[in-house]
Amino acid sequence: ALLLMSSLSEAEAVAVVEAQDRLYLADGALSYWEDSAGAATFADAEAAFSAGAFEHLPRGLAFGFRDGAVWLHFSLLVPPGLQEERWLRAAEPYIDEVDVFHRLPNGMLRSMKGGRVAQQPIPIASDEGTLFRLQLSPGEHQVFLRLASASGLTARPGLWQPRAFEKVALWRFWIFGLVLGFAAASSIVSALRFLNQKDRLSGAFVLAIVAATFQWSFRQGLIAQGGGILVPLYAAAMWLFFIELFE
């Protein structure tokens, strides 16, 4: 079993380059295993990997709504002389549970917990997904992710240089601020028009843009609760708006 695990990890190992800002793990470096009961421990997942139960995942995880949990695996090959911290963006911000199990080259195991319902390991990640700190040293690293959520199970894991991630996150904060500002201004103008003219189209537009803003905010992790009700509310608001528009 150990020989099988070694051969699989060598086939999937991705080399870490010192000057690389981001490593796209979703481009063929992942394998997965479904735990339909959601009760498997890390020891169970590691044993399943050793037994060859993990299947190759050519792209990122996109499973939709699933009961239980899904385990992802990838391995990293760190060259001699490279010893630094990298940030693992493990999953989308609306995923409820994200656990990381990091097996170091010396055999030590580090486990970390995150996700929408847990305290974030790196708070800057609130609208970027769950981030975990990986301390990399020379050798081969085995990393397992456990994902479970009432929302669709999607993930495109990536490994970032901390400074590169902070730079991208800063630009996203500015963009999100502009979009939210535009949405707020549009809502206020439409609400004033509705109060003035009392026409149903203006009222439907206000409801649609407010529902769309909250739905978008939940998907980006800007609000922590409400995903279950926001999807049908957004759909109903848009349906009502287009009914009024084309009437």
Side-chain angles (χ1 to χ4, degrees):
L2 289 176
L3 287 175
L4 175 59
M5 182 173 179
S6 176
S7 64
L8 284 172
S9 64
E10 287 176 3
E12 299 175 353
V14 178
V16 177
V17 180
E18 184 174 4
Q20 194 172 32
D21 286 344
R22 179 181 179 182
L23 183 59
Y24 291 88
L25 298 169
D27 294 342
L30 300 173
S31 58
Y32 76 96
W33 175 62
E34 290 191 65
D35 170 26
S36 57
T41 64
F42 168 69
D44 296 330
E46 197 169 38
F49 179 74
S50 299
F54 276 64
E55 298 181 38
H56 181 249
L57 191 64
R59 292 174 294 277
L61 182 71
F63 276 178
F65 292 86
R66 293 287 180 97
D67 292 330
V70 175
W71 289 79
L72 297 179
H73 169 269
F74 63 91
S75 57
L76 302 172
L77 190 59
V78 181
L82 180 61
Q83 188 156 353
E84 60 184 19
E85 177 179 283
R86 295 290 175 95
W87 288 358
L88 171 66
R89 182 188 184 275
E92 304 305 320
Y94 51 83
I95 300 298
D96 293 336
E97 300 175 29
V98 184
D99 299 320
V100 171
F101 301 89
H102 178 195
R103 180 76 72 184
L104 280 68
N106 60 8
M108 290 183 59
L109 177 67
R110 291 177 179 170
S111 60
M112 295 164 279
K113 182 175 289 291
R116 190 175 62 86
V117 298
Q119 183 178 1
Q120 296 302 314
I122 303 179
I124 191 177
S126 60
D127 65 334
E128 288 283 351
T130 304
L131 283 180
F132 296 92
R133 290 184 171 92
L134 296 186
Q135 302 294 336
L136 299 183
S137 55
E140 190 169 347
H141 298 249
Q142 305 290 332
V143 182
F144 290 82
L145 307 179
R146 180 188 181 275
L147 307 176
S149 185
S151 303
L153 280 174
T154 58
R156 291 186 58 83
L159 201 64
W160 286 81
Q161 290 272 10
R163 289 183 179 179
F165 185 91
E166 289 175 342
K167 183 178 179 180
V168 171
L170 182 60
W171 279 106
R172 286 175 62 89
F173 291 155
W174 278 103
I175 293 172
F176 291 164
L178 290 174
V179 172
L180 286 175
F182 177 77
S186 300
S187 300
I188 292 171
V189 170
S190 301
L192 291 175
R193 180 181 175 182
F194 172 70
L195 294 174
N196 232 0
Q197 301 181 3
K198 300 295 192 299
D199 63 303
R200 294 195 304 175
L201 180 60
S202 297
F205 182 74
V206 173
L207 180 61
I209 197 170
V210 170
T213 301
F214 277 105
Q215 165 67 359
W216 173 82
S217 298
F218 171 77
R219 296 283 295 185
Q220 295 298 327
L222 299 177
I223 56 177
Q225 303 295 335
I229 190 63
L230 287 175
V231 173
L233 177 62
Y234 170 67
M238 295 302 294
W239 176 82
L240 177 63
F241 169 69
F242 283 108
I243 287 293
E244 292 295 330
L245 180 64
F246 293 116
E247 218 179 44

